[in-house]
Amino acid sequence: MKKKYLGARLLAPTLALIMLASCSDDNSSGSNNGDDVLPVPSTDIPTNPENPVGNDSTVDSGSEVLTPEEVANEPITEEDLKDDGTASVTTLTVDVSGVAELGLFAEGATVSLNGVDAKTMALSGAPLSATVSSNLGAYKVSGDIGTAVASVEVKGKYLNYTLDEPAATSGIKALSDLRERTKLNVNVLTRLEYDRVQYLVSEMGLSFTAAKTRAEKEVLAALGLKQDSTLFEDISLYDRNQAAANLLAATTIFLSDRTAEEIDASLAAVAADIASDGTWDDLTMKATLGDIAYSINVAYANSVLSEKNGNADIEYYSVWVDRFWATQYGLGNCGKSNQNEIKTNANPSSDKAASKFVCQDSMWAVATDILLAHIAATALFGECNSANEGAVKANAEGQYFTCRRSVWKSSTEADLLNLKVGEAKGACSSSNQGSIEQFESNYYICMSNSWQKTKNVPVDYSKGRAMNKRLGRGINMGNAWESTGNGATADCGWNNCIQDNYFKVVREAGFNSVRIPVRWNQDASNSSPYTLNSGRLSGVKADIDLALAQGLAVIVNFHHYTTLNDAAAKYASNKSAYEEEKKRFLGMWEQVAKEMNAYPDSLLVLEIFNEPHDMKQDQVNDIMMSAYEVIRKNAPGKTIMFESAGYSKFAQIKNLELPADGNIIVSGHYYESYAFTHQGHGYDCNNNLSQNVLNAIPNDFKSYVDSTSAYFPDINNGHVPMNMGEFGVSGQHGSSCGGSGVSDELRAKWTDAAIAAAEKYDMSWHYWGFVGVGGFEAYDKGAGQWYPELLQVFSKYISK
């Protein structure tokens, strides 16, 4: 499938802005050659596309979408026939610049400017010549002509941005009154109006000015585009206004993935069709271009344009691509007054001939069985929304419909089972969210107003839940014992030694626990019994003692065990290497578990393996379950913590294999979005935190908990206890961004949102990290104090 196609539009599209502001360092774009003659982009904001068309549009007079019939019925007035002064000009010095955009004309394309008789529209005198000076289509032409009206024609190589490849063409041209003009762009719209302007002047006697005004209204109406008073020669693909959206839609459709000859022929044919009566009547061509518009990938075209011009900031236009095909299919307007109206494609030449479409939210969508069922159910039962999510209703014929994500759908077997369980155990609603019920031989959990069959038999997680509550709010003592140091001073391997007073500082701030990452394999023996380094072991235990003395619970894990992770990732090609490294892993865990078993079960958690990644789920489960068995044998009372694949992504928890053991916790790491939290660590330093990132956090956590609840339910209601083992933001302090990194204010804002989401679902959490963690640190070791903004956030939850 070609990358320009998206496939059938089965549901009404979301009318969001497509905003692109990419920077390009590709010198071949010519973006530094001739920029001085590029038009200054307009910054007018386009009309809100939420109701872009139809009788219900709330737009200014003259800016609505007009049908071809409405424009054709506008009478020619005496004013239109009055002399506008263009015919009396006999000499004119021109000095105009602009851009040629059938796509983007390449450097070296030829430009010809001819005078035009303002009454006969015949070319007059010798042409002025120039060439395009940059790969963005920029040109400049100067000299004397003997008329006020001029024709500009551009020929040569241009970028077909729907394919991102160059092509050759001819015939792109424009007509314009140059008396007070210094900018003149040549584009698809100027080509489409060209023949009509000539006809209105030479055959109908209109003044050039009146002819331009009428022809431009007619072209926009023929294409189903929004009326706009901007003259076509003033528009560029890179402007930020409604006119640019019109041009971008029309250009993208005509370019498509066709040859230059096909493109030139279709432009000439449509222009000639419109010329005599101002309407486009060729059903075959309308069907061809309408079908292209129906399937086109607007985002791809937009991205190519943006790459070619680092200053690009291209506004939405997908709505006008959609309006184009709706017009060519004869569907007419779609607005509030005809919401849910069903119409048939009236163009017999279309690939979609006889297909039915439904007016939905001011846009036409394919009338699929799903959409028709939704419309029928809405008429019977009212709107499907969050208030009745999961509700099951039946019509008079005994057909069942379920409300799911704002759409009524034909009920599935699971929906009907929900109805059956609800009749026996009571309806699932927000009041009993997370509750577990046994019905017949299966267990069901109440989620999102629906009883759903659990993926596993519920477990009594009372012990794990109690330990998770004891962990509460904590912090990571990172970049210390997991460094590449060795022996008793391994925590200093990255110059971030854990000082004895750190645990007192953490406790006095109100935290409940610490997580101590350890790279046990760094200095352990490579042969059986894989003896741990005694210095490292004693050093870790000394820090555990210090933490416990301060009343802090502790998590100890295996961190940065890259050799095992890599061996698991390459299991298919080297099974023996994985099995050998796994033996070493289990041998070390046997020793760690025995040593840690001496600590109170209520104060120490053993975390199996930090951030497994780049391996198959079978290897993740094998590592986790094999180590679990060793740990449980040697530390029978300890709470054991599991992590999922994908660097411990919460969303991967559902893929874990967990034992039927109530004394476990699952942990996930959260840094979304990395473009914000990891600025300076492979991501740009911009100190930006969008509202979209903040809005996504509670939705993310709800999806994590819903998934975990379905897969690992607690017999007492809810799910396996969950921990947010790492989260945080790299800021200005100690990061590679220097002073341009994320401010403490924004770090605190994101952290607050992440903790609030975790707290809502009773997760324990451990911020990454305390000191010396590459800009993520919460404590300023040099100043001997917490960063105030972060401490304020922590205290907000610690004090609960």
Side-chain angles (χ1 to χ4, degrees):
M1 180 180 291
K2 293 188 172 92
K3 55 193 172 186
K4 76 178 293 296
Y5 289 106
L6 289 176
R9 292 155 198 246
L10 299 178
L11 292 174
T14 299
L15 304 177
L17 296 185
I18 299 177
M19 299 292 293
L20 292 168
S22 302
C23 294
S24 173
D25 54 6
D26 179 7
N27 290 330
S28 65
S29 69
S31 58
N32 295 318
N33 185 358
D35 282 351
D36 57 320
V37 294
L38 284 173
V40 177
S42 167
T43 57
D44 296 337
I45 301 302
T47 303
N48 189 329
E50 289 301 326
N51 188 14
V53 297
N55 297 328
D56 304 295
S57 298
T58 54
V59 293
D60 295 334
S61 176
S63 64
E64 70 274 14
V65 176
L66 299 178
T67 66
E69 294 74 23
E70 288 172 323
V71 177
N73 289 332
E74 292 184 3
I76 294 175
T77 67
E78 290 185 8
E79 190 68 26
D80 294 334
L81 303 173
K82 285 184 179 179
D83 182 12
D84 61 2
T86 53
S88 61
V89 175
T90 58
T91 182
L92 184 71
T93 298
V94 262
D95 185 16
V96 294
S97 61
V99 285
E101 296 175 330
L102 175 60
L104 304 169
F105 272 91
E107 183 177 355
T110 62
V111 181
S112 298
L113 187 150
N114 273 95
V116 175
D117 187 290
K119 290 190 177 295
T120 67
M121 299 305 292
L123 297 184
S124 173
L128 302 177
S129 299
T131 58
V132 170
S133 60
S134 82
N135 288 333
L136 290 175
Y139 79 90
K140 187 172 185 178
V141 60
S142 303
D144 295 331
I145 59 176
T147 62
V149 178
S151 169
V152 176
E153 184 169 8
V154 183
K155 298 180 181 180
K157 295 283 186 179
Y158 72 94
L159 171 75
N160 185 333
Y161 59 80
T162 67
L163 298 175
D164 196 10
E165 63 183 35
T169 190
S170 63
I172 197 78
K173 50 191 177 181
L175 286 167
S176 186
D177 177 358
L178 298 187
R179 285 177 295 176
E180 297 182 2
R181 175 172 291 278
T182 59
K183 179 178 78 172
L184 197 166
N185 297 336
V186 189
N187 52 54
V188 165
L189 293 179
T190 64
R191 175 65 189 96
L192 292 175
E193 72 165 341
Y194 195 99
D195 297 6
R196 179 59 173 165
V197 173
Q198 286 184 315
Y199 183 88
L200 288 170
V201 173
S202 63
E203 301 296 329
M204 302 294 291
L206 273 68
S207 69
F208 181 78
T209 303
K212 283 275 290 182
T213 300
R214 187 178 186 91
E216 294 190 355
K217 289 178 69 175
E218 290 168 338
V219 168
L220 293 177
L223 303 184
L225 301 176
K226 195 174 187 66
Q227 292 297 318
D228 185 272
S229 60
T230 308
L231 289 173
F232 288 172
E233 61 265 43
D234 286 329
I235 310 172
S236 166
L237 293 171
Y238 286 114
D239 289 342
R240 299 181 60 200
N241 52 25
Q242 177 63 52
N246 285 341
L247 176 60
L248 194 52
T251 306
T252 303
I253 293 162
F254 274 92
L255 285 182
S256 181
D257 60 351
R258 298 175 302 156
T259 66
E261 291 75 16
E262 290 172 328
I263 295 166
D264 190 49
S266 64
L267 283 169
V270 175
D273 192 331
I274 294 173
S276 62
D277 60 4
T279 61
W280 180 16
D281 304 309
D282 183 350
L283 289 178
T284 300
M285 183 63 73
K286 287 163 71 78
T288 297
L289 294 174
D291 290 343
I292 287 171
Y294 181 83
S295 301
I296 210 158
N297 182 345
V298 293
Y300 178 74
N302 223 348
S303 66
V304 173
L305 284 175
S306 185
E307 288 171 2
K308 300 303 175 184
N309 183 357
N311 296 319
D313 198 351
I314 301 167
E315 293 286 353
Y316 78 94
Y317 73 103
S318 61
V319 63
W320 302 108
V321 172
D322 289 338
R323 187 64 179 87
F324 181 97
W325 61 257
T327 299
Q328 310 325 319
Y329 291 172
L331 301 179
N333 287 335
C334 171
K336 292 180 181 178
S337 62
N338 62 334
Q339 176 79 352
N340 294 331
E341 180 184 7
I342 300 171
K343 297 189 76 171
T344 301
N345 182 349
N347 191 327
S349 300
S350 168
D351 290 344
K352 302 289 183 294
S355 295
K356 293 185 181 299
F357 296 83
V358 178
C359 175
Q360 286 276 288
D361 299 323
S362 299
M363 290 302 299
W364 291 101
V366 177
T368 62
D369 291 341
I370 292 175
L371 191 52
L372 293 174
H374 167 69
I375 293 170
T378 300
L380 288 172
F381 315 125
E383 293 293 329
C384 169
N385 51 42
S386 58
N388 57 354
E389 173 74 15
V392 179
K393 302 285 186 180
N395 63 16
E397 289 75 35
Q399 295 174 297
Y400 286 87
F401 299 86
T402 303
C403 174
R404 292 287 183 212
R405 297 183 180 180
S406 301
V407 177
W408 287 106
K409 299 180 180 179
S410 296
S411 296
T412 64
E413 183 178 344
D415 295 328
L416 297 178
L417 189 58
N418 164 53
L419 192 63
K420 192 175 180 180
V421 175
E423 291 172 348
K425 299 294 183 177
C428 169
S429 65
S430 57
S431 63
N432 58 344
Q433 173 81 2
S435 61
I436 303 288
E437 292 286 353
Q438 186 173 9
F439 177 69
E440 296 178 345
S441 59
N442 296 307
Y443 287 90
Y444 297 84
I445 184 169
C446 174
M447 286 177 28
S448 300
N449 297 329
S450 176
W451 289 108
Q452 299 179 30
K453 185 179 177 182
T454 64
K455 310 299 180 182
N456 296 291
V457 174
V459 172
D460 183 354
Y461 288 114
S462 299
K463 288 185 178 179
R465 193 173 305 285
M467 188 65 224
N468 204 41
K469 185 175 182 180
R470 177 65 184 84
L471 289 176
R473 293 94 183 197
I475 197 163
N476 279 272
M477 310 303 284
N479 282 11
W481 288 111
E482 82 273 28
S483 78
T484 51
N486 293 299
T489 59
D491 62 325
C492 300
W494 289 343
N495 298 315
N496 196 39
C497 313
I498 296 179
Q499 298 177 15
D500 291 355
N501 71 316
Y502 282 178
F503 301 100
K504 184 173 185 291
V505 171
V506 170
R507 182 55 183 168
E508 287 179 346
F511 287 96
N512 309 114
S513 59
V514 292
R515 179 175 181 253
I516 303 179
V518 185
R519 193 189 294 240
W520 295 104
N521 61 295
Q522 172 69 20
D523 43 19
S525 171
N526 287 312
S527 57
S528 181
Y530 313 108
T531 304
L532 297 175
N533 182 280
S534 58
R536 178 185 294 271
L537 178 61
S538 62
V540 171
K541 290 174 68 175
D543 281 339
I544 294 173
D545 291 336
L546 289 170
L548 297 181
Q550 292 295 330
L552 296 167
V554 178
I555 301 171
V556 174
N557 78 351
F558 254 84
H559 212 90
H560 289 322
Y561 196 172
T562 55
T563 49
L564 176 59
N565 192 94
D566 293 345
K570 299 173 183 176
Y571 178 83
S573 61
N574 194 346
K575 182 179 178 181
S576 60
Y578 167 72
E579 294 295 345
E580 184 58 38
E581 200 63 45
K582 176 183 162 185
K583 288 179 184 177
R584 184 170 182 246
F585 176 56
L586 299 180
M588 288 184 286
W589 250 128
E590 181 177 3
Q591 299 168 71
V592 172
K594 286 179 179 178
E595 292 288 339
M596 298 302 142
N597 192 44
Y599 291 104
D601 293 342
S602 61
L603 294 175
L604 190 75
V605 172
L606 299 177
E607 178 187 328
I608 297 173
F609 187 84
N610 178 73
E611 294 192 348
H613 57 276
D614 300 331
M615 64 178 81
K616 292 185 177 180
Q617 188 63 42
D618 288 348
Q619 274 65 62
V620 176
N621 287 333
D622 184 38
I623 288 169
M624 293 291 170
M625 288 298 292
S626 298
Y628 159 80
E629 292 172 2
V630 170
I631 296 168
R632 182 56 76 227
K633 178 180 179 181
N634 292 281
K638 291 291 181 291
T639 302
I640 300 175
M641 185 175 284
F642 286 72
E643 291 188 36
S644 57
Y647 293 91
S648 301
K649 293 288 189 184
F650 276 107
Q652 296 293 327
I653 289 174
K654 66 180 182 180
N655 297 318
L656 281 172
E657 178 184 346
L658 295 181
D661 183 334
N663 195 15
I664 64 173
I665 298 170
V666 293
S667 182
H669 296 177
Y670 190 77
Y671 291 102
E672 305 297 336
S673 81
Y674 279 74
F676 171 71
T677 63
H678 281 60
Q679 291 182 35
H681 299 271
Y683 295 86
D684 291 342
C685 302
N686 53 41
N687 193 29
N688 286 337
L689 174 58
S690 74
Q691 191 59 44
N692 287 340
V693 169
L694 291 175
N695 291 343
I697 293 174
N699 295 329
D700 286 348
F701 277 77
K702 183 182 185 304
S703 68
Y704 302 152
V705 172
D706 283 351
S707 175
T708 302
S709 298
Y711 279 84
F712 304 110
D714 188 330
I715 195 65
N716 304 303
N717 298 334
H719 49 81
V720 62
M722 298 175 72
N723 161 263
M724 181 165 59
E726 289 185 20
F727 67 105
V729 180
S730 177
Q732 298 171 344
H733 313 287
S735 79
S736 57
C737 286
S740 62
V742 179
S743 67
D744 286 341
E745 180 183 1
L746 292 186
R747 283 212 298 161
K749 193 172 184 178
W750 182 94
T751 301
D752 193 0
I755 294 176
E759 292 267 337
K760 180 177 180 179
Y761 299 106
D762 297 321
M763 295 185 189
S764 59
W765 51 263
H766 292 83
Y767 183 81
W768 185 273
F770 182 57
V771 296
V773 284
F776 289 87
E777 48 272 354
Y779 188 80
D780 185 349
K781 180 168 60 174
Q785 64 180 20
W786 296 88
Y787 290 109
E789 293 85 355
L790 282 179
L791 182 60
Q792 185 176 5
V793 171
F794 297 147
S795 299
K796 176 179 172 181
Y797 299 95
I798 288 171
S799 62
K800 289 184 178 179

